[in-house]
Amino acid sequence: MYPIRVGSEFLKRGYKVYGLCIRGTQVAKGMKEHGIDTFEVDSKISLIIKQLFKLNHWLNKRQISIIHSHKSGDIIIPALLTLLTKRCSFFTEHMGVTRPKTDLFHKWVYSHLDRVFSISNETYRRNLKALPLDAGKISQLWLGTDVSLSPTIPADEVAKIKQELSIPNESLVIGNVGRICIGKGQGELLEAFSLLQDTDTYPNLHLLLVGGLDVSEGSENNFVASIKARIQELQFKDRVHLVGYRKDTSRMLAIMDIVCLPNHNEAFGLTAIEAMAAQKAIIGANTGSLPEVLGETALLCTPTDPDSISKQLEKYLTSTTLRDINSNLAHQRALNEFSMEAHISKLTEHYTNKNGIL
């Protein structure tokens, strides 16, 4: 949903923003809800075979001179469009390439890009090695999020949200936000939670998992089924809360005392900066980009080791002082490094420098 968030910010600043998406998807729905005029297609194949000239006419009619793609499989579209009308083309590489793309097809497709944005230093290093581009065309550009100067919400609102989710008001909540899939580490987090429950030291401890529960919402259905089965096996039905995909991420973060992100190899971790912006005590993986993003504001764990995760959780559970220190440091880092204002300003600069106008 990143293109929607950024597109909405540009609309607020008076720019014209248009979207290309597949009909009937969450992206299409989200773009409409945010006032983004869209060109919708049934599939990428149908676009290439049947609608490319129509799309080019649609773009020309709206005087669109910049195309920004967000999936590697989509950059063939601006490459083909360039054969009809020359435009500036940008691509944000959200995943971090792991396999070299040096075959003739990828060389041709990437040759039509004016710039690739890597969302972290980790992905920047991967992209330098894997992409068929000169280093001068690859830039590191952190993503951004909304960062409030005062993110805390009143106690009565926290109590209301907990009641909605059937979580006791006096509970301590460990939380995780992200696609429910193997790579996000919810399985290891659940096992770490069970280790803490075995001690009977934390009778009011609850685990809140926020993320889609179906493949249509980005999850892995078999993995979701295994998580549900494990919750039942552990008899944690009243302690572990699977609340599905939520649009109100900020409300979910508000009731979390600790945000735990044992992501196996995260390319960036937008959830991490959302947790930082929400002024939360965070545990992140010691792999991928999370150490870079979190800096000195969080505790780090081995994401594939439930024992490592549980030990870091205990450090926070036994010290409210440590939680307070790290949550404040995290919020300040979000303000300084990851605000949406800073991100939009940098994007605007790239667009303007390359295109001459925006």
Side-chain angles (χ1 to χ4, degrees), residues 39-75:
F39 186 98
E40 297 186 29
V41 298
D42 292 324
S43 68
K44 191 188 307 181
I45 294 297
S46 70
L47 169 60
I48 293 172
I49 295 175
K50 301 178 182 178
Q51 295 177 281
L52 195 68
F53 286 95
K54 184 177 180 180
L55 172 59
N56 190 60
H57 176 73
W58 187 85
L59 295 170
N60 287 336
K61 185 177 180 180
R62 288 157 179 78
Q63 298 181 310
I64 296 172
S65 57
I66 295 172
I67 298 177
H68 195 151
S69 304
H70 294 274
K71 290 181 66 177
S72 60
D74 291 344
I75 60 175

PDB file of all heavy atoms in Angstrom, residues 39-75:
ATOM      1  N   PHE A  39      -6.133   3.893 -13.847  1.00  0.00           N
ATOM      2  CA  PHE A  39      -6.337   3.112 -15.063  1.00  0.00           C
ATOM      3  C   PHE A  39      -6.303   1.664 -14.613  1.00  0.00           C
ATOM      4  O   PHE A  39      -5.256   1.168 -14.154  1.00  0.00           O
ATOM      5  CB  PHE A  39      -5.230   3.398 -16.081  1.00  0.00           C
ATOM      6  CG  PHE A  39      -5.436   2.753 -17.414  1.00  0.00           C
ATOM      7  CD1 PHE A  39      -5.978   3.465 -18.469  1.00  0.00           C
ATOM      8  CD2 PHE A  39      -5.080   1.420 -17.632  1.00  0.00           C
ATOM      9  CE1 PHE A  39      -6.167   2.875 -19.722  1.00  0.00           C
ATOM     10  CE2 PHE A  39      -5.262   0.817 -18.866  1.00  0.00           C
ATOM     11  CZ  PHE A  39      -5.813   1.544 -19.920  1.00  0.00           C
ATOM     12  N   GLU A  40      -7.429   0.951 -14.735  1.00  0.00           N
ATOM     13  CA  GLU A  40      -7.522  -0.407 -14.217  1.00  0.00           C
ATOM     14  C   GLU A  40      -7.500  -1.425 -15.348  1.00  0.00           C
ATOM     15  O   GLU A  40      -8.076  -1.210 -16.411  1.00  0.00           O
ATOM     16  CB  GLU A  40      -8.809  -0.572 -13.388  1.00  0.00           C
ATOM     17  CG  GLU A  40      -8.838   0.315 -12.151  1.00  0.00           C
ATOM     18  CD  GLU A  40     -10.038   0.048 -11.265  1.00  0.00           C
ATOM     19  OE1 GLU A  40     -10.529  -1.107 -11.269  1.00  0.00           O
ATOM     20  OE2 GLU A  40     -10.499   0.979 -10.587  1.00  0.00           O
ATOM     21  N   VAL A  41      -6.812  -2.535 -15.091  1.00  0.00           N
ATOM     22  CA  VAL A  41      -6.698  -3.604 -16.078  1.00  0.00           C
ATOM     23  C   VAL A  41      -7.087  -4.931 -15.422  1.00  0.00           C
ATOM     24  O   VAL A  41      -7.093  -5.056 -14.199  1.00  0.00           O
ATOM     25  CB  VAL A  41      -5.265  -3.696 -16.631  1.00  0.00           C
ATOM     26  CG1 VAL A  41      -4.884  -2.405 -17.336  1.00  0.00           C
ATOM     27  CG2 VAL A  41      -4.267  -4.010 -15.524  1.00  0.00           C
ATOM     28  N   ASP A  42      -7.415  -5.908 -16.252  1.00  0.00           N
ATOM     29  CA  ASP A  42      -7.771  -7.227 -15.718  1.00  0.00           C
ATOM     30  C   ASP A  42      -6.537  -8.007 -15.278  1.00  0.00           C
ATOM     31  O   ASP A  42      -6.588  -8.784 -14.325  1.00  0.00           O
ATOM     32  CB  ASP A  42      -8.552  -8.027 -16.755  1.00  0.00           C
ATOM     33  CG  ASP A  42      -9.927  -7.420 -17.021  1.00  0.00           C
ATOM     34  OD1 ASP A  42     -10.538  -6.915 -16.061  1.00  0.00           O
ATOM     35  OD2 ASP A  42     -10.363  -7.437 -18.175  1.00  0.00           O
ATOM     36  N   SER A  43      -5.429  -7.800 -15.975  1.00  0.00           N
ATOM     37  CA  SER A  43      -4.181  -8.472 -15.634  1.00  0.00           C
ATOM     38  C   SER A  43      -3.051  -7.770 -16.366  1.00  0.00           C
ATOM     39  O   SER A  43      -3.277  -6.998 -17.310  1.00  0.00           O
ATOM     40  CB  SER A  43      -4.218  -9.953 -16.021  1.00  0.00           C
ATOM     41  OG  SER A  43      -4.236 -10.077 -17.439  1.00  0.00           O
ATOM     42  N   LYS A  44      -1.827  -8.069 -15.945  1.00  0.00           N
ATOM     43  CA  LYS A  44      -0.661  -7.473 -16.604  1.00  0.00           C
ATOM     44  C   LYS A  44      -0.563  -7.959 -18.051  1.00  0.00           C
ATOM     45  O   LYS A  44      -0.227  -7.188 -18.966  1.00  0.00           O
ATOM     46  CB  LYS A  44       0.603  -7.817 -15.832  1.00  0.00           C
ATOM     47  CG  LYS A  44       1.834  -7.038 -16.279  1.00  0.00           C
ATOM     48  CD  LYS A  44       3.098  -7.555 -15.629  1.00  0.00           C
ATOM     49  CE  LYS A  44       2.964  -7.612 -14.126  1.00  0.00           C
ATOM     50  NZ  LYS A  44       4.201  -8.096 -13.478  1.00  0.00           N
ATOM     51  N   ILE A  45      -0.859  -9.235 -18.255  1.00  0.00           N
ATOM     52  CA  ILE A  45      -0.789  -9.792 -19.606  1.00  0.00           C
ATOM     53  C   ILE A  45      -1.783  -9.102 -20.532  1.00  0.00           C
ATOM     54  O   ILE A  45      -1.460  -8.747 -21.666  1.00  0.00           O
ATOM     55  CB  ILE A  45      -1.055 -11.314 -19.576  1.00  0.00           C
ATOM     56  CG1 ILE A  45       0.075 -12.042 -18.833  1.00  0.00           C
ATOM     57  CG2 ILE A  45      -1.185 -11.860 -20.992  1.00  0.00           C
ATOM     58  CD1 ILE A  45       1.420 -11.908 -19.488  1.00  0.00           C
ATOM     59  N   SER A  46      -3.016  -8.906 -20.050  1.00  0.00           N
ATOM     60  CA  SER A  46      -4.025  -8.246 -20.892  1.00  0.00           C
ATOM     61  C   SER A  46      -3.618  -6.813 -21.201  1.00  0.00           C
ATOM     62  O   SER A  46      -3.896  -6.295 -22.284  1.00  0.00           O
ATOM     63  CB  SER A  46      -5.391  -8.277 -20.206  1.00  0.00           C
ATOM     64  OG  SER A  46      -5.420  -7.436 -19.078  1.00  0.00           O
ATOM     65  N   LEU A  47      -2.942  -6.165 -20.250  1.00  0.00           N
ATOM     66  CA  LEU A  47      -2.460  -4.809 -20.498  1.00  0.00           C
ATOM     67  C   LEU A  47      -1.438  -4.805 -21.621  1.00  0.00           C
ATOM     68  O   LEU A  47      -1.529  -3.993 -22.564  1.00  0.00           O
ATOM     69  CB  LEU A  47      -1.848  -4.231 -19.218  1.00  0.00           C
ATOM     70  CG  LEU A  47      -1.062  -2.918 -19.374  1.00  0.00           C
ATOM     71  CD1 LEU A  47      -1.962  -1.812 -19.914  1.00  0.00           C
ATOM     72  CD2 LEU A  47      -0.426  -2.513 -18.054  1.00  0.00           C
ATOM     73  N   ILE A  48      -0.473  -5.695 -21.547  1.00  0.00           N
ATOM     74  CA  ILE A  48       0.596  -5.732 -22.545  1.00  0.00           C
ATOM     75  C   ILE A  48       0.051  -6.097 -23.922  1.00  0.00           C
ATOM     76  O   ILE A  48       0.414  -5.489 -24.937  1.00  0.00           O
ATOM     77  CB  ILE A  48       1.690  -6.731 -22.112  1.00  0.00           C
ATOM     78  CG1 ILE A  48       2.400  -6.218 -20.851  1.00  0.00           C
ATOM     79  CG2 ILE A  48       2.695  -6.955 -23.237  1.00  0.00           C
ATOM     80  CD1 ILE A  48       3.359  -7.222 -20.244  1.00  0.00           C
ATOM     81  N   ILE A  49      -0.860  -7.057 -23.966  1.00  0.00           N
ATOM     82  CA  ILE A  49      -1.350  -7.559 -25.247  1.00  0.00           C
ATOM     83  C   ILE A  49      -2.418  -6.655 -25.866  1.00  0.00           C
ATOM     84  O   ILE A  49      -2.421  -6.403 -27.079  1.00  0.00           O
ATOM     85  CB  ILE A  49      -1.905  -8.990 -25.081  1.00  0.00           C
ATOM     86  CG1 ILE A  49      -0.776  -9.948 -24.694  1.00  0.00           C
ATOM     87  CG2 ILE A  49      -2.585  -9.463 -26.357  1.00  0.00           C
ATOM     88  CD1 ILE A  49      -1.254 -11.359 -24.400  1.00  0.00           C
ATOM     89  N   LYS A  50      -3.322  -6.136 -25.008  1.00  0.00           N
ATOM     90  CA  LYS A  50      -4.506  -5.464 -25.541  1.00  0.00           C
ATOM     91  C   LYS A  50      -4.591  -3.960 -25.255  1.00  0.00           C
ATOM     92  O   LYS A  50      -5.212  -3.228 -26.020  1.00  0.00           O
ATOM     93  CB  LYS A  50      -5.773  -6.117 -24.973  1.00  0.00           C
ATOM     94  CG  LYS A  50      -5.930  -7.593 -25.282  1.00  0.00           C
ATOM     95  CD  LYS A  50      -7.197  -8.137 -24.620  1.00  0.00           C
ATOM     96  CE  LYS A  50      -7.370  -9.627 -24.869  1.00  0.00           C
ATOM     97  NZ  LYS A  50      -8.586 -10.162 -24.191  1.00  0.00           N
ATOM     98  N   GLN A  51      -4.022  -3.505 -24.154  1.00  0.00           N
ATOM     99  CA  GLN A  51      -4.345  -2.157 -23.701  1.00  0.00           C
ATOM    100  C   GLN A  51      -3.172  -1.186 -23.632  1.00  0.00           C
ATOM    101  O   GLN A  51      -3.320  -0.079 -23.130  1.00  0.00           O
ATOM    102  CB  GLN A  51      -4.995  -2.237 -22.311  1.00  0.00           C
ATOM    103  CG  GLN A  51      -6.343  -2.937 -22.286  1.00  0.00           C
ATOM    104  CD  GLN A  51      -6.901  -3.048 -20.874  1.00  0.00           C
ATOM    105  OE1 GLN A  51      -6.489  -3.905 -20.105  1.00  0.00           O
ATOM    106  NE2 GLN A  51      -7.830  -2.163 -20.543  1.00  0.00           N
ATOM    107  N   LEU A  52      -2.016  -1.567 -24.118  1.00  0.00           N
ATOM    108  CA  LEU A  52      -0.846  -0.702 -23.981  1.00  0.00           C
ATOM    109  C   LEU A  52      -1.025   0.630 -24.708  1.00  0.00           C
ATOM    110  O   LEU A  52      -0.696   1.696 -24.163  1.00  0.00           O
ATOM    111  CB  LEU A  52       0.404  -1.431 -24.507  1.00  0.00           C
ATOM    112  CG  LEU A  52       1.734  -0.804 -24.093  1.00  0.00           C
ATOM    113  CD1 LEU A  52       1.947  -0.957 -22.595  1.00  0.00           C
ATOM    114  CD2 LEU A  52       2.885  -1.452 -24.855  1.00  0.00           C
ATOM    115  N   PHE A  53      -1.567   0.590 -25.923  1.00  0.00           N
ATOM    116  CA  PHE A  53      -1.777   1.838 -26.681  1.00  0.00           C
ATOM    117  C   PHE A  53      -2.838   2.705 -25.986  1.00  0.00           C
ATOM    118  O   PHE A  53      -2.716   3.939 -25.947  1.00  0.00           O
ATOM    119  CB  PHE A  53      -2.186   1.525 -28.121  1.00  0.00           C
ATOM    120  CG  PHE A  53      -1.049   1.034 -28.976  1.00  0.00           C
ATOM    121  CD1 PHE A  53      -0.842  -0.325 -29.145  1.00  0.00           C
ATOM    122  CD2 PHE A  53      -0.179   1.926 -29.585  1.00  0.00           C
ATOM    123  CE1 PHE A  53       0.207  -0.795 -29.926  1.00  0.00           C
ATOM    124  CE2 PHE A  53       0.883   1.474 -30.366  1.00  0.00           C
ATOM    125  CZ  PHE A  53       1.081   0.107 -30.535  1.00  0.00           C
ATOM    126  N   LYS A  54      -3.863   2.051 -25.453  1.00  0.00           N
ATOM    127  CA  LYS A  54      -4.905   2.788 -24.735  1.00  0.00           C
ATOM    128  C   LYS A  54      -4.331   3.458 -23.483  1.00  0.00           C
ATOM    129  O   LYS A  54      -4.648   4.607 -23.176  1.00  0.00           O
ATOM    130  CB  LYS A  54      -6.040   1.837 -24.346  1.00  0.00           C
ATOM    131  CG  LYS A  54      -7.220   2.524 -23.681  1.00  0.00           C
ATOM    132  CD  LYS A  54      -8.328   1.522 -23.388  1.00  0.00           C
ATOM    133  CE  LYS A  54      -9.520   2.206 -22.715  1.00  0.00           C
ATOM    134  NZ  LYS A  54     -10.611   1.235 -22.422  1.00  0.00           N
ATOM    135  N   LEU A  55      -3.469   2.728 -22.776  1.00  0.00           N
ATOM    136  CA  LEU A  55      -2.822   3.300 -21.593  1.00  0.00           C
ATOM    137  C   LEU A  55      -1.935   4.480 -21.980  1.00  0.00           C
ATOM    138  O   LEU A  55      -1.944   5.522 -21.312  1.00  0.00           O
ATOM    139  CB  LEU A  55      -1.995   2.233 -20.879  1.00  0.00           C
ATOM    140  CG  LEU A  55      -1.103   2.724 -19.722  1.00  0.00           C
ATOM    141  CD1 LEU A  55      -1.935   3.394 -18.629  1.00  0.00           C
ATOM    142  CD2 LEU A  55      -0.279   1.571 -19.153  1.00  0.00           C
ATOM    143  N   ASN A  56      -1.190   4.320 -23.067  1.00  0.00           N
ATOM    144  CA  ASN A  56      -0.314   5.406 -23.509  1.00  0.00           C
ATOM    145  C   ASN A  56      -1.116   6.653 -23.847  1.00  0.00           C
ATOM    146  O   ASN A  56      -0.717   7.786 -23.511  1.00  0.00           O
ATOM    147  CB  ASN A  56       0.506   4.962 -24.716  1.00  0.00           C
ATOM    148  CG  ASN A  56       1.591   5.951 -25.068  1.00  0.00           C
ATOM    149  OD1 ASN A  56       2.470   6.239 -24.247  1.00  0.00           O
ATOM    150  ND2 ASN A  56       1.539   6.492 -26.279  1.00  0.00           N
ATOM    151  N   HIS A  57      -2.258   6.476 -24.513  1.00  0.00           N
ATOM    152  CA  HIS A  57      -3.144   7.603 -24.821  1.00  0.00           C
ATOM    153  C   HIS A  57      -3.662   8.242 -23.532  1.00  0.00           C
ATOM    154  O   HIS A  57      -3.730   9.478 -23.420  1.00  0.00           O
ATOM    155  CB  HIS A  57      -4.306   7.112 -25.686  1.00  0.00           C
ATOM    156  CG  HIS A  57      -5.324   8.167 -25.973  1.00  0.00           C
ATOM    157  ND1 HIS A  57      -5.105   9.202 -26.847  1.00  0.00           N
ATOM    158  CD2 HIS A  57      -6.591   8.357 -25.458  1.00  0.00           C
ATOM    159  CE1 HIS A  57      -6.163   9.992 -26.882  1.00  0.00           C
ATOM    160  NE2 HIS A  57      -7.079   9.492 -26.051  1.00  0.00           N
ATOM    161  N   TRP A  58      -4.033   7.416 -22.559  1.00  0.00           N
ATOM    162  CA  TRP A  58      -4.543   7.886 -21.263  1.00  0.00           C
ATOM    163  C   TRP A  58      -3.479   8.721 -20.554  1.00  0.00           C
ATOM    164  O   TRP A  58      -3.774   9.777 -19.988  1.00  0.00           O
ATOM    165  CB  TRP A  58      -4.932   6.666 -20.430  1.00  0.00           C
ATOM    166  CG  TRP A  58      -5.619   6.925 -19.126  1.00  0.00           C
ATOM    167  CD1 TRP A  58      -6.962   7.128 -18.927  1.00  0.00           C
ATOM    168  CD2 TRP A  58      -5.021   6.962 -17.823  1.00  0.00           C
ATOM    169  NE1 TRP A  58      -7.228   7.295 -17.581  1.00  0.00           N
ATOM    170  CE2 TRP A  58      -6.059   7.195 -16.886  1.00  0.00           C
ATOM    171  CE3 TRP A  58      -3.729   6.822 -17.367  1.00  0.00           C
ATOM    172  CZ2 TRP A  58      -5.816   7.293 -15.513  1.00  0.00           C
ATOM    173  CZ3 TRP A  58      -3.473   6.927 -15.997  1.00  0.00           C
ATOM    174  CH2 TRP A  58      -4.512   7.150 -15.092  1.00  0.00           C
ATOM    175  N   LEU A  59      -2.240   8.265 -20.614  1.00  0.00           N
ATOM    176  CA  LEU A  59      -1.139   8.998 -19.990  1.00  0.00           C
ATOM    177  C   LEU A  59      -0.882  10.323 -20.708  1.00  0.00           C
ATOM    178  O   LEU A  59      -0.681  11.365 -20.065  1.00  0.00           O
ATOM    179  CB  LEU A  59       0.135   8.148 -20.009  1.00  0.00           C
ATOM    180  CG  LEU A  59       0.126   6.857 -19.182  1.00  0.00           C
ATOM    181  CD1 LEU A  59       1.358   6.017 -19.504  1.00  0.00           C
ATOM    182  CD2 LEU A  59       0.082   7.166 -17.696  1.00  0.00           C
ATOM    183  N   ASN A  60      -0.881  10.294 -22.038  1.00  0.00           N
ATOM    184  CA  ASN A  60      -0.639  11.512 -22.818  1.00  0.00           C
ATOM    185  C   ASN A  60      -1.719  12.554 -22.585  1.00  0.00           C
ATOM    186  O   ASN A  60      -1.441  13.752 -22.474  1.00  0.00           O
ATOM    187  CB  ASN A  60      -0.529  11.183 -24.305  1.00  0.00           C
ATOM    188  CG  ASN A  60       0.769  10.490 -24.660  1.00  0.00           C
ATOM    189  OD1 ASN A  60       1.767  10.625 -23.951  1.00  0.00           O
ATOM    190  ND2 ASN A  60       0.764   9.739 -25.754  1.00  0.00           N
ATOM    191  N   LYS A  61      -2.968  12.093 -22.522  1.00  0.00           N
ATOM    192  CA  LYS A  61      -4.088  13.004 -22.314  1.00  0.00           C
ATOM    193  C   LYS A  61      -3.951  13.744 -20.981  1.00  0.00           C
ATOM    194  O   LYS A  61      -4.349  14.912 -20.870  1.00  0.00           O
ATOM    195  CB  LYS A  61      -5.402  12.215 -22.354  1.00  0.00           C
ATOM    196  CG  LYS A  61      -6.654  13.079 -22.272  1.00  0.00           C
ATOM    197  CD  LYS A  61      -7.901  12.215 -22.401  1.00  0.00           C
ATOM    198  CE  LYS A  61      -9.153  13.080 -22.315  1.00  0.00           C
ATOM    199  NZ  LYS A  61     -10.387  12.256 -22.439  1.00  0.00           N
ATOM    200  N   ARG A  62      -3.376  13.075 -19.984  1.00  0.00           N
ATOM    201  CA  ARG A  62      -3.202  13.682 -18.659  1.00  0.00           C
ATOM    202  C   ARG A  62      -1.829  14.308 -18.485  1.00  0.00           C
ATOM    203  O   ARG A  62      -1.480  14.755 -17.391  1.00  0.00           O
ATOM    204  CB  ARG A  62      -3.458  12.618 -17.580  1.00  0.00           C
ATOM    205  CG  ARG A  62      -4.938  12.261 -17.475  1.00  0.00           C
ATOM    206  CD  ARG A  62      -5.180  10.891 -16.874  1.00  0.00           C
ATOM    207  NE  ARG A  62      -6.623  10.614 -16.788  1.00  0.00           N
ATOM    208  CZ  ARG A  62      -7.361  10.241 -17.819  1.00  0.00           C
ATOM    209  NH1 ARG A  62      -6.804  10.082 -19.016  1.00  0.00           N
ATOM    210  NH2 ARG A  62      -8.662  10.028 -17.677  1.00  0.00           N
ATOM    211  N   GLN A  63      -1.051  14.313 -19.550  1.00  0.00           N
ATOM    212  CA  GLN A  63       0.288  14.923 -19.557  1.00  0.00           C
ATOM    213  C   GLN A  63       1.182  14.335 -18.454  1.00  0.00           C
ATOM    214  O   GLN A  63       1.910  15.055 -17.766  1.00  0.00           O
ATOM    215  CB  GLN A  63       0.187  16.446 -19.413  1.00  0.00           C
ATOM    216  CG  GLN A  63      -0.562  17.115 -20.558  1.00  0.00           C
ATOM    217  CD  GLN A  63      -0.620  18.620 -20.411  1.00  0.00           C
ATOM    218  OE1 GLN A  63      -0.980  19.141 -19.354  1.00  0.00           O
ATOM    219  NE2 GLN A  63      -0.255  19.338 -21.476  1.00  0.00           N
ATOM    220  N   ILE A  64       1.108  13.032 -18.296  1.00  0.00           N
ATOM    221  CA  ILE A  64       1.912  12.347 -17.284  1.00  0.00           C
ATOM    222  C   ILE A  64       3.319  12.109 -17.844  1.00  0.00           C
ATOM    223  O   ILE A  64       3.490  11.438 -18.864  1.00  0.00           O
ATOM    224  CB  ILE A  64       1.264  11.004 -16.885  1.00  0.00           C
ATOM    225  CG1 ILE A  64      -0.103  11.275 -16.230  1.00  0.00           C
ATOM    226  CG2 ILE A  64       2.163  10.227 -15.942  1.00  0.00           C
ATOM    227  CD1 ILE A  64      -0.918  10.026 -15.977  1.00  0.00           C
ATOM    228  N   SER A  65       4.306  12.651 -17.171  1.00  0.00           N
ATOM    229  CA  SER A  65       5.688  12.564 -17.651  1.00  0.00           C
ATOM    230  C   SER A  65       6.579  11.718 -16.750  1.00  0.00           C
ATOM    231  O   SER A  65       7.742  11.486 -17.067  1.00  0.00           O
ATOM    232  CB  SER A  65       6.286  13.969 -17.778  1.00  0.00           C
ATOM    233  OG  SER A  65       6.212  14.648 -16.521  1.00  0.00           O
ATOM    234  N   ILE A  66       6.052  11.268 -15.603  1.00  0.00           N
ATOM    235  CA  ILE A  66       6.827  10.456 -14.663  1.00  0.00           C
ATOM    236  C   ILE A  66       6.046   9.186 -14.344  1.00  0.00           C
ATOM    237  O   ILE A  66       4.865   9.251 -14.005  1.00  0.00           O
ATOM    238  CB  ILE A  66       7.107  11.227 -13.356  1.00  0.00           C
ATOM    239  CG1 ILE A  66       7.994  12.438 -13.622  1.00  0.00           C
ATOM    240  CG2 ILE A  66       7.755  10.319 -12.316  1.00  0.00           C
ATOM    241  CD1 ILE A  66       8.160  13.338 -12.422  1.00  0.00           C
ATOM    242  N   ILE A  67       6.706   8.043 -14.446  1.00  0.00           N
ATOM    243  CA  ILE A  67       6.112   6.769 -14.041  1.00  0.00           C
ATOM    244  C   ILE A  67       6.989   6.176 -12.943  1.00  0.00           C
ATOM    245  O   ILE A  67       8.207   6.076 -13.099  1.00  0.00           O
ATOM    246  CB  ILE A  67       6.019   5.784 -15.218  1.00  0.00           C
ATOM    247  CG1 ILE A  67       5.114   6.346 -16.326  1.00  0.00           C
ATOM    248  CG2 ILE A  67       5.477   4.438 -14.750  1.00  0.00           C
ATOM    249  CD1 ILE A  67       5.028   5.463 -17.551  1.00  0.00           C
ATOM    250  N   HIS A  68       6.358   5.803 -11.841  1.00  0.00           N
ATOM    251  CA  HIS A  68       7.094   5.246 -10.701  1.00  0.00           C
ATOM    252  C   HIS A  68       6.517   3.867 -10.389  1.00  0.00           C
ATOM    253  O   HIS A  68       5.363   3.744  -9.988  1.00  0.00           O
ATOM    254  CB  HIS A  68       6.970   6.169  -9.482  1.00  0.00           C
ATOM    255  CG  HIS A  68       7.953   5.864  -8.402  1.00  0.00           C
ATOM    256  ND1 HIS A  68       8.429   6.831  -7.547  1.00  0.00           N
ATOM    257  CD2 HIS A  68       8.559   4.709  -8.020  1.00  0.00           C
ATOM    258  CE1 HIS A  68       9.279   6.279  -6.695  1.00  0.00           C
ATOM    259  NE2 HIS A  68       9.355   4.991  -6.965  1.00  0.00           N
ATOM    260  N   SER A  69       7.323   2.831 -10.576  1.00  0.00           N
ATOM    261  CA  SER A  69       6.889   1.454 -10.334  1.00  0.00           C
ATOM    262  C   SER A  69       7.374   0.978  -8.967  1.00  0.00           C
ATOM    263  O   SER A  69       8.377   1.467  -8.438  1.00  0.00           O
ATOM    264  CB  SER A  69       7.452   0.527 -11.414  1.00  0.00           C
ATOM    265  OG  SER A  69       7.090   0.970 -12.703  1.00  0.00           O
ATOM    266  N   HIS A  70       6.647  -0.035  -8.423  1.00  0.00           N
ATOM    267  CA  HIS A  70       6.971  -0.517  -7.079  1.00  0.00           C
ATOM    268  C   HIS A  70       7.079  -2.043  -6.997  1.00  0.00           C
ATOM    269  O   HIS A  70       7.237  -2.573  -5.906  1.00  0.00           O
ATOM    270  CB  HIS A  70       5.924  -0.007  -6.080  1.00  0.00           C
ATOM    271  CG  HIS A  70       5.972   1.474  -5.923  1.00  0.00           C
ATOM    272  ND1 HIS A  70       6.811   2.103  -5.041  1.00  0.00           N
ATOM    273  CD2 HIS A  70       5.305   2.463  -6.571  1.00  0.00           C
ATOM    274  CE1 HIS A  70       6.648   3.411  -5.130  1.00  0.00           C
ATOM    275  NE2 HIS A  70       5.755   3.653  -6.055  1.00  0.00           N
ATOM    276  N   LYS A  71       7.004  -2.719  -8.134  1.00  0.00           N
ATOM    277  CA  LYS A  71       7.232  -4.166  -8.192  1.00  0.00           C
ATOM    278  C   LYS A  71       8.130  -4.434  -9.386  1.00  0.00           C
ATOM    279  O   LYS A  71       7.911  -3.880 -10.470  1.00  0.00           O
ATOM    280  CB  LYS A  71       5.915  -4.937  -8.328  1.00  0.00           C
ATOM    281  CG  LYS A  71       5.039  -4.917  -7.090  1.00  0.00           C
ATOM    282  CD  LYS A  71       3.763  -5.722  -7.300  1.00  0.00           C
ATOM    283  CE  LYS A  71       4.061  -7.198  -7.470  1.00  0.00           C
ATOM    284  NZ  LYS A  71       2.811  -8.008  -7.605  1.00  0.00           N
ATOM    285  N   SER A  72       9.120  -5.305  -9.189  1.00  0.00           N
ATOM    286  CA  SER A  72      10.066  -5.559 -10.273  1.00  0.00           C
ATOM    287  C   SER A  72       9.371  -6.127 -11.515  1.00  0.00           C
ATOM    288  O   SER A  72       9.780  -5.848 -12.642  1.00  0.00           O
ATOM    289  CB  SER A  72      11.162  -6.516  -9.798  1.00  0.00           C
ATOM    290  OG  SER A  72      10.608  -7.753  -9.379  1.00  0.00           O
ATOM    291  N   GLY A  73       8.293  -6.904 -11.292  1.00  0.00           N
ATOM    292  CA  GLY A  73       7.571  -7.466 -12.421  1.00  0.00           C
ATOM    293  C   GLY A  73       6.804  -6.441 -13.227  1.00  0.00           C
ATOM    294  O   GLY A  73       6.337  -6.733 -14.336  1.00  0.00           O
ATOM    295  N   ASP A  74       6.674  -5.221 -12.681  1.00  0.00           N
ATOM    296  CA  ASP A  74       5.897  -4.178 -13.359  1.00  0.00           C
ATOM    297  C   ASP A  74       6.746  -3.262 -14.232  1.00  0.00           C
ATOM    298  O   ASP A  74       6.197  -2.501 -15.039  1.00  0.00           O
ATOM    299  CB  ASP A  74       5.157  -3.318 -12.333  1.00  0.00           C
ATOM    300  CG  ASP A  74       4.037  -4.077 -11.637  1.00  0.00           C
ATOM    301  OD1 ASP A  74       3.644  -5.137 -12.145  1.00  0.00           O
ATOM    302  OD2 ASP A  74       3.585  -3.620 -10.574  1.00  0.00           O
ATOM    303  N   ILE A  75       8.072  -3.287 -14.077  1.00  0.00           N
ATOM    304  CA  ILE A  75       8.876  -2.286 -14.798  1.00  0.00           C
ATOM    305  C   ILE A  75       8.947  -2.561 -16.299  1.00  0.00           C
ATOM    306  O   ILE A  75       9.418  -1.707 -17.052  1.00  0.00           O
ATOM    307  CB  ILE A  75      10.297  -2.170 -14.210  1.00  0.00           C
ATOM    308  CG1 ILE A  75      11.050  -3.494 -14.294  1.00  0.00           C
ATOM    309  CG2 ILE A  75      10.238  -1.669 -12.781  1.00  0.00           C
ATOM    310  CD1 ILE A  75      12.497  -3.382 -13.825  1.00  0.00           C
TER     311      ILE A  75
END
